[in-house]
Amino acid sequence: MLDLSSLNSRQREAVVHAGGPLVVFAGAGSGKTRVITFRVAHLIAAHGVAPWRILAVTFTNKAAAEMRERLLGLLGEEGAAIQVGTFHATCARLLRRHGEPIGLSKDFTIYDDQDQLALLKRVLRDLRLDEKRYQPKAMAARINYAKQEMQGPEDLETTDSWSEVVRRIYQAYEERLYQANALDFGDLIYRTVRALDSSPSFRDAVVGRFSHVLVDEFQDTNHAQFRLVRLLSEGHRNLCVVGDDDQSIYRWRGADRRNILDFRASFPDAKLFKLEQNYRSTQRILRAANAVIARNVDREPKELWTENEEGDAILVVRTMDERDEARLVLRGVRELLSRGQRLSDVAVFYRTHAQSRVIEEALRSANIGYRIVGGMRFYDRAEVKDLLAYLRVMTNPADDMSLLRIINTPARGIGKTTIVRLLDSAALQGRGLSDILDDHEVLAQLGNAARKRLAAFGRLLCDLRDLASSGLPLGDIGAELVRRSGYGEMLQQDDTPEADARLQNVQELVASMDELAREHPDASLSEFLENVTLQTSADEQTEGDRVTLMTVHAAKGLEFPIVMVTGLEERVFPFKGIDPWEDPDELEEERRLAYVAFTRAEQRLILSLAGVRRIFGQQRVGVPSRFLTELPGEDVEWIGTIPPSLAGASGIERRVPEPAESYVDYSESDLDDMEGLRRGMQVRHPKFGVGEVREVAQGSPPRVSVRFPGWGTRKIIASYLEPA
């Protein structure tokens, strides 16, 4: 008999629930994986359910592996027969086994993101469409979004010629996938749902296979995933979903927390349980997290509590700037080490990847090992390496490896065949690639199009080398490089969250050039590159005891004894928080991010803000984050200054004078982009197509709310729009 004595009363109730729809709101650190695995084991041990008739679905391979391991521990070899997997892996398995009725062979290929882009480029060439106007990444994003919403090409709204072309691209793309006997990632779920809807034989084979379906992290599901699990449980209705709307932080990639909040609208007889006892954090940490998340309006009411000790006060430290903040991290790590903590006990969180640079440099200078979760080291990121390659070619024309990296980055139509012929000529003559680019005899052997593109690239290199020797400050050289190379324009036109993050890293690299120039006014471009090279090639710990660095998004599902959350300022965390165009839904998501960050801490939570921060190439006065003003005063120890709204209200005295008052400057230049834009006007965007202006907001930069058919209302930087 399965021993349930280790479960608390609420966990036990969820585990022994016999059948029918069940929704479990599992707060941070409340043991949700434990509940799922014990529930599966109880179904088998107490109700005689065959293991192979149970399907457990989650989001990551890591989570699925952990679930399998726990089930094996509870059930032994019997647990191996339970179907556990990610959404995509589960659908791929079902389509291979039962896909023949819908025209799928068992040996179909699954295209990854790069395969998808390559196929879309081929489609654009075949349709004779301009890649700059219909960018492959933007088209991929549109198709992926359509499949999440269960829309085929025939379902897309076509209100103008642009959206009609997008539908043609989608249709041609689908035809090419069919010809190749291939599915993309979005297809795995999309095609499974379509098959369950339209094919009785597929539905009977699949739905009849399972008698219980359990879904983890249900707050992260999108529309297609919700349709999938509802269809899979249609016959038996034994659907158990577990999640926490307060930890829904992936809205930007399609997750819809309404799926868990409105679960009982789809299943009115669903039983609901809330797991609110936390086993991870101290009481003070939980009070802080509860105080922040309680201000969200659209949530399932719940409040974490714990039998753990009261714990240390939450430390909030105001530093002078981002470099002083990095030194704070370093001092904190050293102090914790002196108290017997391990480096691996410490995690440092930040809102954006670009913030990691100065923290990495501080740790590296002190020879303290670190690892980055969910991302690369700053100088290892592709966009940073691309710009460094440009800078190296600007100072050293003979650097063939750097030249090869940038010759078609951004894409300028210089293909692999052309590059191979250039390299063959260089090898044959014993010369460098840069010399070959200036050799008219070699270039004459190429086609007209290739010659023109190489000539344009050669002119760009001459222009950039003149820039390198111009005597301009390093930061200005970097900014001009981003502009003249087209790299910044490439990322802006992409207009995806990933491209935004890459652009922030590019801006941070330029900021690092400016920083060196301010510290060493006589520093040359060569000295900057040498400094970077020495940093990136410095010996670092790659194994063993290391500090963990990560964005808050990457921290979900993890826990650490000590957590430092940096950058608690408006417009940093919450990101863009004081802009007048702020979206209430975005602000609630930022508050959920703060809740996730705080509840990763087991013993100590340290928060920091900077009086002045230089980030993304701009210097900002650090206005304390609203999340700091929401903390319970009796649980916080302030080092530096106290946000004005807390002084007096909390009864805590200020230790130092308040920072200078900040303001947002809406200069005339900011308004230039707004000229001619008005409510009701039709505008075009390179990714979303034609839409109608709903609201025009001043700001820096100015933003416009636009309603796009099929995409909903989006807030767009005005300069990215043009009249339709």
Side-chain angles (χ1 to χ4, degrees), residues 90-387:
T90 297
C91 288
R93 185 168 59 245
L94 294 176
L95 289 172
R96 290 199 192 279
R97 289 180 180 175
H98 309 289
E100 288 186 12
I102 60 170
L104 272 180
S105 66
K106 294 182 178 181
D107 58 349
F108 63 80
T109 301
I110 299 174
Y111 279 5
D112 63 16
D113 294 343
Q114 293 304 312
D115 297 327
Q116 183 183 39
L117 286 176
L119 182 57
L120 278 167
K121 289 178 181 179
R122 182 178 171 188
V123 167
L124 292 171
R125 284 197 301 271
D126 290 349
L127 295 177
R128 298 183 179 179
L129 294 171
D130 183 2
E131 282 193 22
K132 290 186 177 179
R133 182 170 176 78
Y134 301 97
Q135 295 182 35
K137 284 188 178 179
M139 294 301 101
R142 184 65 186 91
I143 290 170
N144 293 340
Y145 176 81
K147 290 181 178 180
Q148 285 182 11
E149 295 299 308
M150 292 306 303
Q151 296 174 335
E154 68 282 358
D155 301 314
L156 295 189
E157 292 185 53
T158 53
T159 56
D160 56 20
S161 59
W162 192 88
S163 56
E164 178 60 43
V165 173
V166 172
R167 183 164 71 173
R168 284 175 53 209
I169 293 169
Y170 187 3
Q171 181 65 51
Y173 171 76
E174 290 294 281
E175 291 170 358
R176 288 301 179 89
L177 281 175
Y178 178 77
Q179 292 168 5
N181 188 31
L183 302 180
D184 61 26
F185 280 135
D187 268 326
L188 295 173
I189 298 173
Y190 171 74
R191 295 288 294 274
T192 304
V193 172
R194 280 284 176 105
L196 288 167
D197 266 335
S198 62
S199 172
S201 58
F202 183 90
R203 182 169 57 250
D204 291 344
V206 171
V207 175
R209 180 182 180 83
F210 304 111
S211 61
H212 286 268
V213 177
L214 301 95
V215 186
D216 192 14
E217 302 287 8
F218 196 66
Q219 78 281 348
D220 293 335
T221 54
N222 58 37
H223 176 63
Q225 291 162 337
F226 179 75
R227 288 268 304 271
L228 172 70
V229 297
R230 190 169 61 185
L231 287 165
L232 286 175
S233 57
E234 197 172 47
H236 50 73
R237 301 184 77 252
N238 291 323
L239 174 61
C240 169
V241 301
V242 183
D244 182 10
D245 58 300
D246 288 335
Q247 296 184 74
S248 178
I249 58 174
Y250 299 120
R251 174 173 173 254
W252 51 274
R253 69 183 188 197
D256 186 357
R257 74 188 190 287
R258 304 284 356 150
N259 289 343
I260 191 167
L261 288 173
D262 297 341
F263 185 78
R264 283 170 293 173
S266 299
F267 297 90
D269 58 333
K271 186 72 174 176
L272 182 148
F273 294 104
K274 295 181 185 179
L275 307 182
E276 296 171 290
Q277 182 176 358
N278 175 283
Y279 292 91
R280 176 188 301 155
S281 306
T282 66
Q283 294 180 31
R284 277 180 153 162
I285 290 171
L286 293 185
R287 284 198 293 267
N290 285 331
V292 171
I293 199 62
R295 291 178 180 256
N296 273 4
V297 176
D298 190 14
R299 62 185 290 262
E300 179 71 25
K302 65 187 85 69
E303 186 163 352
L304 292 181
W305 62 276
T306 185
E307 294 178 348
N308 293 343
E309 61 184 13
E310 184 81 355
D312 294 326
I314 295 161
L315 197 63
V316 179
V317 185
R318 179 184 183 272
T319 61
M320 292 183 294
D321 55 26
E322 73 278 5
R323 298 192 73 80
D324 189 34
E325 183 178 56
R327 287 190 287 269
L328 165 71
V329 170
L330 183 57
R331 290 195 302 271
V333 169
R334 283 173 167 164
E335 181 179 344
L336 292 166
L337 284 174
S338 70
R339 296 181 180 180
Q341 300 280 171
R342 292 168 49 83
L343 290 176
S344 56
D345 291 340
V346 183
V348 182
F349 298 164
Y350 33 79
R351 178 61 181 81
T352 64
H353 282 295
Q355 291 169 251
S356 75
R357 178 182 64 85
V358 290
I359 299 172
E360 288 184 62
E361 290 175 356
L363 293 173
R364 191 183 293 113
S365 68
N367 200 29
I368 291 179
Y370 66 90
R371 67 187 181 112
I372 295 184
V373 173
M376 298 180 181
R377 296 177 303 175
F378 181 80
Y379 289 109
D380 287 342
R381 292 164 189 160
E383 58 276 11
V384 175
K385 292 174 78 70
D386 288 343
L387 270 297

Side-chain angles (χ1 to χ4, degrees), residues 510-567:
V510 174
S512 72
M513 297 175 70
D514 184 61
E515 188 176 281
L516 179 64
R518 284 187 284 110
E519 294 177 355
H520 305 283
D522 297 329
S524 66
L525 185 53
S526 295
E527 288 172 315
F528 170 77
L529 289 168
E530 180 180 316
N531 185 48
V532 169
T533 303
L534 289 175
Q535 285 187 29
T536 55
S537 63
D539 291 337
E540 296 180 21
Q541 281 182 259
T542 56
E543 299 295 338
D545 198 25
R546 291 174 288 164
V547 176
T548 302
L549 309 183
M550 68 181 79
T551 64
V552 181
H553 278 104
K556 188 166 175 290
L558 303 176
E559 56 189 50
F560 301 89
I562 298 100
V563 168
M564 300 183 185
V565 187
T566 61

Side-chain angles (χ1 to χ4, degrees), residues 598-609:
F598 295 174
T599 55
R600 300 310 95 193
E602 297 172 347
Q603 301 167 9
R604 299 247 21 211
L605 178 61
I606 302 166
L607 313 176
S608 66
L609 66 155

Side-chain angles (χ1 to χ4, degrees), residues 562-631:
I562 298 100
V563 168
M564 300 183 185
V565 187
T566 61
L568 267 296
E569 303 127 41
E570 293 290 300
R571 302 184 70 192
V572 179
F573 195 6
F575 195 48
K576 306 174 184 174
I578 62 171
D579 282 1
W581 55 269
E582 75 183 14
D583 180 343
D585 289 338
E586 287 189 5
L587 180 57
E588 291 215 345
E589 179 120 338
E590 291 291 312
R591 188 171 274 109
R592 290 193 293 273
L593 272 170
Y595 174 80
V596 167
F598 295 174
T599 55
R600 300 310 95 193
E602 297 172 347
Q603 301 167 9
R604 299 247 21 211
L605 178 61
I606 302 166
L607 313 176
S608 66
L609 66 155
V612 176
R613 183 178 300 276
R614 189 169 186 83
I615 189 170
F616 313 145
Q618 299 177 338
Q619 184 161 303
R620 302 172 179 172
V621 174
V623 177
S625 168
R626 68 193 69 194
F627 303 148
L628 295 179
T629 72
E630 296 163 3
L631 298 175

Side-chain angles (χ1 to χ4, degrees), residues 390-391 393-397 457-473 476-477 480-481 484 525:
Y390 270 103
L391 293 172
V393 170
M394 288 162 64
T395 59
N396 177 17
F457 179 59
R459 289 193 295 272
L460 172 63
L461 291 182
C462 289
D463 184 32
L464 293 178
R465 285 165 187 156
D466 289 342
L467 173 64
S469 58
S470 65
L472 285 173
D476 292 349
I477 290 175
E480 277 296 294
L481 164 62
R484 297 185 194 183
L525 185 53

